[in-house]
Structure formats: structure tokens, C-alpha cells
Amino acid sequence: MPQQYAEVILPLPLNATFTYRIPEDMVQRIKVGQRVIVQFGSKKFYTGIIESISPIAPEGYEVKDIVSILDDFSITKHPQLKLWHWISEYYLCSIGDVYKAAVPAGLKVESETFIELDKDFEEDEENRLSEREVIICQLLEHEGKLSTSDIEKKTGFKNSLNIINHLISIGAVIVSEKLIERYRSKKETYIKLMAEPGDSDGLHKAFDAVKGAKKQETLLLALIEMSGFTRKGAETLEVSRAQLLERTGVTTAIISALAKKGIIEVYKKEINRFQFSGVVTYKLPTLSEAQENALNSITDSFSEHAITLLHGVTSSGKTEIYIHLLSRILQQSKQALFLVPEIALTTQLTHRLQKVFGERVLIYHSRFSDNERVDIWKKLLTEDEPCVVIGARSSLFLPFSNLGIVIVDEEHESSYKQYDPAPRYNARDVAIVLASMHGAKTLLGSATPSIETYYKAKTGKFGFVELLTRYENVTLPQIETVDMTIARKRYLTNGSFAKPTIDAANEALNNKNQIIVFHNRRGFAPMARCKQCAWTPKCEHCDVSLTYHRFQNQLICHYCGASYPLPTICPACKEPAVEILGYGTERIEEEVANLFPEHKILRMDLDTTRNKDNYENIIEDFSNHKANILVGTQMVTKGLDFGGVSLVTVLNADRLINFPDFRSAERAYNMLEQVSGRAGRRNTQGKVIVQTSNPSHPIIDFLKNHDYTGFFNHEIEERKEFNYPPFTRVIYIYLKHRDNNTLSEIATIYASHLRQLFGNRVFGPEEPIISRIQSLYIRKIMLKVETNASMAKVKKILRNTYEQMHQLPRMKGMIVYYDVDPM
């Protein structure tokens, strides 16, 4: 057989696959989609994915051998690799970026850099160590080898890499590489009898061996009963050690004693981390006449369209329709993917679906540990059983084998868009492509569809179904506005709340109802400022003012995460005059506690939901009326179902409406309409109070009348006039550099070069609102291309431009990336 070579995808942001020689002893075992360990560069080792195999040797460079094969099977299924390439082509990123995002870290064995002390190093006048360098050296002397992340944790030094690099340069420390595998399967200990079923002699011998040992006899009897050992014709059941100890109350020493006597066998077994133990009714929800009609219309639409939009007002019962569709897919022995924009939504949805479908419901999102995500991946890889996967955008990359339907709930949500790092994809659009590759149907659902989706539905490209009545004909909430300009002039405010808002909240609480307070800014206060000289603390690395978080008593940058102490003395004028200005959810929570001291308050924002358990606890506590008031950011606007909420208050709606972006009106209307939908979802009409300084804004009028169609007609005319999506496709080209002057010069040349190729489709460069993040200055060039333009050709032109630009000496250190279809 001729020498074989493999094209390998590496988890690196490089625009290529890499060719490796397949050693002779591996040729028969290598398959497309397998994980292999390969060396890249002089020292680094990575987990690669085999993309293809060929006998053709590459030319022009020395080929390295594949080091080892990690599995005897492929960890991907068709058409996963095809989808990865589509994402790479469409979103103008490398295939390595897609691989890195798609596969759980637990499946990527990589070499990690370790630092250790060079015992031959001697400090002298020329190589004098700083205080921090001494601390790191003393740590390494005591601990031995440590990774750079461990050094940072143990010393508390931020940006310790610079210190370590200097220690390497002077020979104080040395670097080594070690392969790290992060995945650990979950194993449980089980107990079984050594005697075979029906072996009465063996059983008698076992009882003779424990005669006089009461606890051993108790355990033996319990094991026989729990395993069904003596039941004729019945299959014996596996009994876990934990179950056996709980039933008998004995210690593990008793188990060890029986094992030594040869009566029982103790063994370990790999188990799934996700075992549903709740109540399953297997009962589908009853549909109203309007829901039944919508379900039938969706079925009819699927006969003509692969993609259908369900435009259903808030609380119209879209989820019940979804459940019926999922049931049909499972009956066809197919799999289903149910996408939601926020991890918080998986909590309520999972409980509802598990009651109907039990263990066939799987959950997958980024808040799970690496081990948990690998377990789900392996389950789908090795089992073809029909199931429903509920997840956020990362669940798109799972190895589905027989996908029948993809449901994208709240399809308008910007949370479906991945921003950093690459690939900067929109999960809704990738879901449509994934479904088409499987020959599956896609259902997009929303009360406030995106302009592009609604346009495609109204022009016949997508199927279109409407559900315009709330479940049980509950009236849509009444929306009132409070003019904050007038309220402040008349002294009718208490902090961030106007008097009418406070009165409405008191009325709701007195009637034993719940309220939601929506404010789309986390932290205690947006900024600190000196009241003497107006000095404002800003991040050292980003051009943004710092947000004060009272709980940590720190000023924090929401862009790079850097934290700073709140100064007591102004560093500019040296006066003790630093004050806190504005309101974040942390401060709103404090205000609400002062206004309504008798009521328990919960807060839902990024700071209070750092892991999946935080989400679940907040939602469960509010659903069970353990709190009457929920304060939150946009997390509270997205599809949560709380039956006891009669009032929703929106603070500072102007901040949403006045954002300078072509999608700002759409984003504001969607968010305000969605949060209003949390009110009055059971039997009674709810109320929404919107505090704004501009109550005459067109968006407010559309919102008051729940007039999505009117809003769409108004917005689509503006999009058409200024040639924005859905009439064009927008691509942002970002350039970043540490030197602002270099960046300004190169960005101008870059835009000029693109204009020669794309003409008046190119706009900019311009400084974005935040023009420096993590010490990198930013420029943005906007490219508008026709919707039918080939993204492969656009990518080729942009790639050629990038390569030509890199011939300029000043391009060194420049970062260039693309955001296709920005949200």
C-alpha cells in the first residue's frame, strides 16, 4: 500500500488544514473524524481531527508523523464537518476557530506549558530579581512544576506572563510541555453476588459464610432482594453500593468483608451524569382551538417550506405547540433540537418537557462542566435513540445522527449571535443550515420576529403562521408611560422610580401579586465622578468609564474585567469628593428594598447567575413565590413564564431606544415588547409602566398598541431607504492595534484598497463607540454586499486584500477580523 497522508484540522486560528504522515501501523485504524495527537511547531502537541485521507504527498516542506490515535471511532457524524466548513466560509473565519468552538474542551488533549526553577541559576548584579520575581521563584522551589495559570492563582499576580518571560530570558526558570487530558468519566461502584441465579448451593454457602455476623447477613439479604436474585424468570438488576448502604445502614467495611469471602463482587461502571429522576406523565398538553389551528397550519406549511415562522404573541402558548411537534418527531424515531437564546430559559423548559418525554430530554450549554458536555456528546455519538436536545447556541455542534426538526425559540434574540472569539456566527442561521443538511424542518418562533425573518416570511421565502390570541384569551397587558422629564420637574420621583410607578407597585403587592423591574445595566452604578473637578475613573486598558459594584466594593470594567479600588481622594484635585452616579441593577435592588421593605427581592443579572444552579434557584424561588419582586437585566425579558406577575416596570427605556446602530429601534421594540409579555399571563390583564423622557417616540406608540406589524412597516421602509438588511448583507471589518496613529493610517489605506474592489459598498473607517478595549485601539469598516453575493468570493477578495496589506511594514501587530450579519 502506498504511503498515506491525513489532512488534520487543528484548534488554531489558522486558515488551513495541515498534512501529516500516517505511520504504517496506524493506516488500518485511521478514519475521517477521528481524534489524533499531532505535533505542531517545535514543542506543542494538539488534538487534531482527521478531515480526509490521501496517498498524495505534499510538496515544499517536511511532513511530520501523527503521534497517536486517541479513539478507534470518529467523534463526528455526517454532516458535522460539512457544517464546520460552511460556518468557516460564511462567517469568514478559519476552520480551526470552528473546531475549537464546536468540540468540548474535554475532548481536546493539548500540551500545557509548565514552568520550573532552573537550579543552576545564580542571581548577580546583572540579573537582579524584582520582588515579584523572587516570590515566583520561591513558589516554584516549594511546589516544583506549575502551569502559568497556577502561578497566577497562587501568587495573585495579574499579567504574570510578563514576569515569567523575563525569568525565562535570564535563565532563572525553564519551560517544559506536558500533555493534559481534561475529561474524566463519571463512575459508580456496583455490587453483585458471585453465585449465579438458580445456584441454590452457592447461596447456601454464602449464608453459611456470614452466619453469626449480623450486619453481613443483613447486607446479603438486602442485596438478594434489591437485585431480584430469587425471582424466577426475572432479569437480575444492578445494585449500586450507594443504594445498598442507604438501605442497610452498614459501612463499606462490611462490603469489603463480604468481598474477601468471595460472596460478592465489587466493580465500577461508567455512568451518564444526566439521569432524570422526576415524575413523567407522558401526557401532551391540551391545545386551545387557536393553538390547534396554528399546529395544523405549521404542518401544512412544512409540506411546502423547509422553514416556517410562527409569529405568536407573548403568552399565546407557543411552547405547547412545540411539544406536540416534538412528540411527532419522536414517534418517527428521529431527534430534535430545541434552541433557546439564554441558558436561564432551559430551566423552566426542561422541567416542562421532561414531564412529557422523561429521559429522552437532554440539556446542553456552556455552563455545564467539560465532563458534563463530553458525556452528552458521547451519548449522542454512540446512541441513535430519538431524543430532544434543549440548549443554547453551542448545542448546534452536537453529533446528531437523525435530526427531524430544529425549533428556534425567540428567534429574534441577539443572544444567538456569538461575538468573541471567532466564529462570530448567528445560531439561528446556522440552525437553518444544519436542518437543511439533515433534510429536517426548521420552525422559528417569536412574538417579535427579527425584521429579516418577518420580511422573508411575508415575501414567501419562509412559511408563515400567526397566533395572535393569548392562551385562554387573556388580554395583552396595558402599557402606560411615565414622562420622567415632567416627573423630575414636579419632584415626583424617588431615586430612579417615579411616583406612579411606586403606586402601581404597591397596588400589585397589596393584591398578593408579583412585579418585575427591568433595567438593562448591571452593577451598582454606571460611573463614579469627582463632584469638584468632574474627574471620572476609566479603565487603563479600555476607553470606558468603570462601573461600581458595591458587593465587591470595586470599580470594574465590563469589557476586559479589570477591577480597581474606589478612590476616597480624587487623584486629579486631591479632594475627598468622589461620588457614585447613575443606577445599575445592584443599586436598583437596594432602592426597591428601601421602598418595599416587607417584600423579598431577587436579582437576575450576570453577577448573580455565574453558574447554572444560580439560574435555576432564582427562577424556582420566584416561581414558588418565595420572593415578590424580581430585578433584572435583559435576562428577565426572554420567554420566562411567571404566572403571578401582574406588573412590569421598565426603567430608563431611552437607553435602549437611543443606541446609535441601525438595529437599535428593532432591538428596543423587541426587548420592551418581550418584557411586557411577562405581565398578566394567567387569567387577568397585566400592566406595564415604561419610564421614558421621550414618550412621543414612534416606538412607544407601537409598543402601547402591541402593533408589531405597524412597527415592521415603519422599520422596513427605513431599511429600504438606507440599503440595510434585509436588502443587503452587512459585514464589519475590524482592525485593532496598540498604536492609535498606526491604526488610523492603516485603516484608511485598508478602506481605500477595499473601495477599489467593492466601490461605494464600503463605508468608513470609523471609531466605534468604545474605541479601545484591552489596550487595543479599534477601527471599523462597513461593507454592504448584495444578498445574492457569493460569500466564498467575498472571502477570497478579503483574504487577498489582507495578504496584500500585510506586505506593509506597519501591519506588524495588526489584528484583522470580520463580523458577518452583525446584531
Side-chain angles (χ1 to χ4, degrees):
M1 180 183 285
Q3 178 63 57
Q4 298 290 300
Y5 299 88
E7 285 299 311
V8 179
I9 302 170
L10 295 179
L12 299 169
L14 301 169
N15 286 289
T17 55
F18 298 89
T19 308
Y20 287 85
R21 185 188 296 108
I22 303 174
E24 194 173 325
D25 62 333
M26 295 184 190
V27 169
Q28 298 299 323
R29 296 166 55 207
I30 285 280
K31 301 181 186 73
V32 170
Q34 269 182 316
R35 294 188 304 157
V36 291
I37 297 292
V38 295
Q39 184 180 355
F40 187 79
S42 59
K43 292 182 179 179
K44 287 284 186 181
F45 291 86
Y46 292 97
T47 300
I49 301 285
I50 301 289
E51 186 196 50
S52 63
I53 299 167
S54 168
I56 301 170
E59 296 179 1
Y61 61 91
E62 185 182 345
V63 183
K64 294 176 182 174
D65 282 357
I66 291 172
V67 176
S68 64
I69 300 172
L70 286 174
D71 313 289
D72 290 328
F73 52 86
S74 169
I75 67 148
T76 65
K77 284 189 174 181
H78 180 77
Q80 271 182 293
L81 294 180
K82 185 179 175 184
L83 182 70
W84 292 8
H85 277 286
W86 181 88
I87 293 171
S88 170
E89 287 293 322
Y90 186 84
Y91 291 103
L92 307 176
C93 63
S94 73
I95 189 71
D97 283 325
V98 184
Y99 164 34
K100 194 167 185 179
V103 177
L107 288 175
K108 295 195 283 279
V109 179
E110 293 184 7
S111 63
E112 190 170 322
T113 302
F114 282 80
I115 312 296
E116 60 181 308
L117 197 64
D118 187 340
K119 294 178 181 177
D120 294 331
F121 174 77
E122 291 183 7
E123 188 178 3
D124 53 32
E125 287 298 324
E126 189 177 338
N127 294 320
R128 181 70 62 192
L129 299 181
S130 69
E131 183 182 346
R132 289 190 166 201
E133 289 170 342
V134 169
I135 291 171
I136 289 176
C137 288
Q138 288 173 344
L139 177 68
L140 291 171
E141 188 175 16
H142 182 260
E143 299 277 350
K145 286 184 181 181
L146 286 175
S147 67
T148 52
S149 58
D150 284 338
I151 290 172
E152 285 200 355
K153 283 179 190 173
K154 290 178 181 291
T155 61
F157 298 159
K158 291 187 177 178
N159 301 318
S160 66
L161 208 54
N162 292 332
I163 306 170
I164 293 167
N165 283 338
H166 182 253
L167 287 170
I168 293 169
S169 69
I170 62 174
V173 298
I174 54 178
V175 177
S176 59
E177 297 289 325
K178 181 181 176 184
L179 281 172
I180 304 293
E181 182 167 12
R182 293 177 176 83
Y183 174 66
R184 295 289 181 271
S185 60
K186 184 175 181 180
K187 293 181 180 178
E188 193 160 332
T189 304
Y190 287 83
I191 314 294
K192 75 172 185 179
L193 283 165
M194 293 295 287
E196 295 293 328
D199 181 5
S200 57
D201 288 341
L203 207 55
H204 281 301
K205 286 179 182 177
F207 276 107
D208 288 343
V210 298
K211 194 172 183 179
K214 189 175 180 181
K215 289 184 179 180
Q216 292 181 22
E217 193 174 58
T218 300
L219 189 136
L220 181 58
L221 284 167
L223 180 59
I224 291 168
E225 181 190 345
M226 292 172 73
S227 65
F229 185 84
T230 55
R231 288 199 291 269
K232 286 186 179 180
E235 188 179 344
T236 56
L237 304 174
E238 287 189 304
V239 180
S240 73
R241 182 175 64 183
Q243 290 173 318
L244 195 58
L245 293 177
E246 186 179 351
R247 168 73 77 89
T248 60
V250 301
T251 64
T252 53
I254 304 301
I255 291 176
S256 299
L258 285 177
K260 282 181 181 178
K261 290 178 180 179
I263 297 170
I264 62 172
E265 179 188 349
V266 180
Y267 63 98
K268 287 192 174 183
K269 177 183 171 184
E270 188 174 321
I271 63 165
N272 192 335
R273 285 180 167 85
F274 302 97
Q275 295 179 327
F276 176 63
S277 57
V279 177
V280 185
T281 64
Y282 298 110
K283 185 178 178 183
L284 291 171
T286 303
L287 300 183
S288 67
E289 184 180 350
Q291 289 173 313
E292 193 74 52
N293 291 336
L295 178 61
N296 293 333
S297 296
I298 291 168
T299 305
D300 293 341
S301 176
F302 279 157
S303 65
E304 297 181 14
H305 297 90
I307 307 153
T308 293
L309 169 65
L310 172 59
H311 177 211
V313 297
T314 55
S315 196
S316 57
K318 293 188 288 296
T319 305
E320 285 78 6
I321 295 172
Y322 299 154
I323 291 172
H324 277 260
L325 287 168
L326 294 171
S327 176
R328 293 178 184 180
I329 291 298
L330 293 177
Q331 286 171 13
Q332 296 169 21
S333 297
K334 293 184 177 181
Q335 297 169 328
L337 173 59
F338 196 143
L339 278 182
V340 291
E342 287 280 359
I343 294 166
L345 293 181
T346 61
T347 302
Q348 284 190 330
L349 197 55
T350 300
H351 294 323
R352 292 176 72 176
L353 266 63
Q354 283 180 333
K355 283 181 182 177
V356 181
F357 304 122
E359 290 186 349
R360 290 187 291 181
V361 177
L362 305 174
I363 312 103
Y364 187 89
H365 53 67
S366 59
R367 289 291 172 92
F368 280 160
S369 69
D370 280 341
N371 288 334
E372 289 171 323
R373 279 183 281 171
V374 172
D375 277 355
I376 293 292
W377 187 285
K378 285 188 168 182
K379 182 177 176 65
L380 285 170
L381 195 66
T382 56
E383 300 175 12
D384 291 333
E385 295 297 315
C387 64
V388 178
V389 175
I390 303 173
R393 56 179 182 252
S394 58
S395 57
L396 284 164
F397 297 111
L398 286 167
F400 296 102
S401 55
N402 189 17
L403 201 56
I405 193 170
V406 176
I407 296 172
V408 185
D409 195 25
E410 311 293 354
E411 67 82 28
H412 64 278
E413 274 291 345
S414 59
S415 300
Y416 281 125
K417 176 73 172 177
Q418 162 74 10
Y419 291 101
D420 277 312
R424 296 170 178 84
Y425 65 97
N426 188 315
R428 174 200 62 203
D429 299 335
V430 176
I432 291 171
V433 175
L434 172 68
S436 70
M437 287 180 175
H438 280 270
K441 303 296 184 184
T442 305
L443 181 65
L444 309 175
S446 177
T448 56
S450 69
I451 297 296
E452 287 98 317
T453 298
Y454 196 77
Y455 178 79
K456 288 174 183 175
K458 295 298 283 184
T459 54
K461 186 173 181 180
F462 294 171
F464 185 50
V465 177
E466 287 190 299
L467 183 58
L468 301 180
T469 56
R470 280 187 143 193
Y471 189 67
E472 296 185 344
N473 293 313
V474 174
T475 309
L476 285 164
Q478 174 190 353
I479 297 180
E480 299 177 2
T481 57
V482 174
D483 189 330
M484 292 302 288
T485 304
I486 294 173
R488 289 189 189 98
K489 283 180 180 177
R490 296 178 179 175
Y491 301 101
L492 297 175
T493 59
N494 188 335
S496 55
F497 289 84
K499 187 176 184 303
T501 307
I502 297 169
D503 292 342
N506 274 316
E507 183 183 350
L509 294 169
N510 289 338
N511 290 331
K512 309 297 182 187
N513 291 319
Q514 294 172 297
I515 64 174
I516 290 177
V517 179
F518 168 55
H519 182 65
N520 204 29
R521 182 129 198 183
R522 66 186 176 99
F524 186 81
M527 63 184 292
R529 188 179 70 185
C530 175
K531 55 188 173 186
Q532 291 289 349
C533 69
W535 171 83
T536 301
K538 289 193 172 185
C539 178
E540 293 175 4
H541 314 289
C542 312
D543 279 340
V544 289
S545 57
L546 298 166
T547 301
Y548 177 62
H549 287 247
R550 187 166 186 172
F551 180 74
Q552 295 108 313
N553 193 29
Q554 292 272 306
L555 292 166
I556 295 176
C557 175
H558 286 178
Y559 284 83
C560 71
S563 59
Y564 305 83
L566 178 69
T568 52
I569 304 294
C570 172
C573 68
K574 310 303 180 188
E575 291 293 324
V578 178
E579 61 181 348
I580 301 300
L581 297 173
Y583 293 85
T585 46
E586 199 178 327
R587 191 170 191 176
I588 298 295
E589 180 186 24
E590 186 177 280
E591 272 199 0
V592 171
N594 292 330
L595 289 168
F596 312 105
E598 297 177 3
H599 298 278
K600 186 171 179 237
I601 303 152
L602 292 171
R603 174 163 56 93
M604 183 186 282
D605 56 26
L606 191 63
D607 298 315
T608 61
T609 54
R610 293 291 179 186
N611 61 54
K612 64 179 187 291
D613 293 332
N614 294 146
Y615 276 113
E616 291 177 10
N617 293 338
I618 292 170
I619 291 168
E620 188 174 336
D621 287 351
F622 196 64
S623 296
N624 294 331
H625 290 255
K626 292 182 180 178
N628 298 320
I629 304 168
L630 177 63
V631 176
T633 57
Q634 59 180 333
M635 288 181 183
V636 302
T637 72
K638 300 176 182 179
L640 295 171
D641 186 9
F642 300 120
V645 175
S646 67
L647 175 70
V648 169
T649 66
V650 178
L651 307 181
N652 196 8
D654 308 298
R655 188 168 180 270
L656 298 173
I657 295 169
N658 297 325
F659 195 81
D661 179 78
F662 78 91
R663 292 192 192 275
S664 61
E666 176 185 7
R667 198 179 295 117
Y669 178 85
N670 290 354
M671 202 174 290
L672 292 170
E673 180 67 24
Q674 288 287 338
V675 76
S676 75
R678 302 315 108 206
R681 298 174 70 88
R682 300 287 188 278
N683 304 320
T684 56
Q685 184 182 25
K687 181 188 281 190
V688 180
I689 295 181
V690 179
Q691 294 188 173
T692 173
S693 298
N694 188 9
S696 61
H697 195 285
I699 285 179
I700 302 297
D701 284 336
F702 293 128
L703 185 69
K704 280 184 175 181
N705 297 312
H706 300 284
D707 183 11
Y708 175 82
T709 304
F711 167 73
F712 170 80
N713 291 333
H714 175 270
E715 185 69 10
I716 202 72
E717 287 303 315
E718 286 201 353
R719 299 279 186 96
K720 192 172 185 179
E721 182 180 352
F722 295 104
N723 208 26
Y724 277 109
F727 304 103
T728 57
R729 177 171 288 129
V730 171
I731 302 170
Y732 287 156
I733 302 156
Y734 286 96
L735 294 90
K736 294 184 176 181
H737 199 278
R738 292 188 179 275
D739 184 82
N740 196 28
N741 293 329
T742 300
L743 175 64
S744 184
E745 179 188 332
I746 293 295
T748 302
I749 298 170
Y750 215 111
S752 177
H753 194 94
L754 288 172
R755 279 193 188 90
Q756 293 174 22
L757 300 166
F758 291 103
N760 60 5
R761 299 178 184 87
V762 179
F763 301 83
E766 63 176 28
E767 288 189 34
I769 297 167
I770 309 299
S771 60
R772 185 173 64 109
I773 296 176
Q774 294 181 341
S775 300
L776 292 169
Y777 293 92
I778 308 167
R779 293 293 185 276
K780 181 175 77 175
I781 300 169
M782 181 168 67
L783 174 63
K784 290 182 184 177
V785 296
E786 291 75 8
T787 53
N788 59 355
S790 165
M791 289 303 290
K793 288 182 180 178
V794 171
K795 181 176 183 177
K796 188 175 181 180
I797 293 170
L798 291 173
R799 182 67 194 172
N800 289 340
T801 302
Y802 175 80
E803 290 173 357
Q804 289 175 34
M805 289 296 296
H806 260 273
Q807 294 173 14
L808 298 175
R810 301 196 72 183
M811 277 292 287
K812 188 178 181 182
M814 186 74 66
I815 298 169
V816 180
Y817 65 86
Y818 311 96
D819 186 5
V820 180
D821 301 334
M823 292 291 287

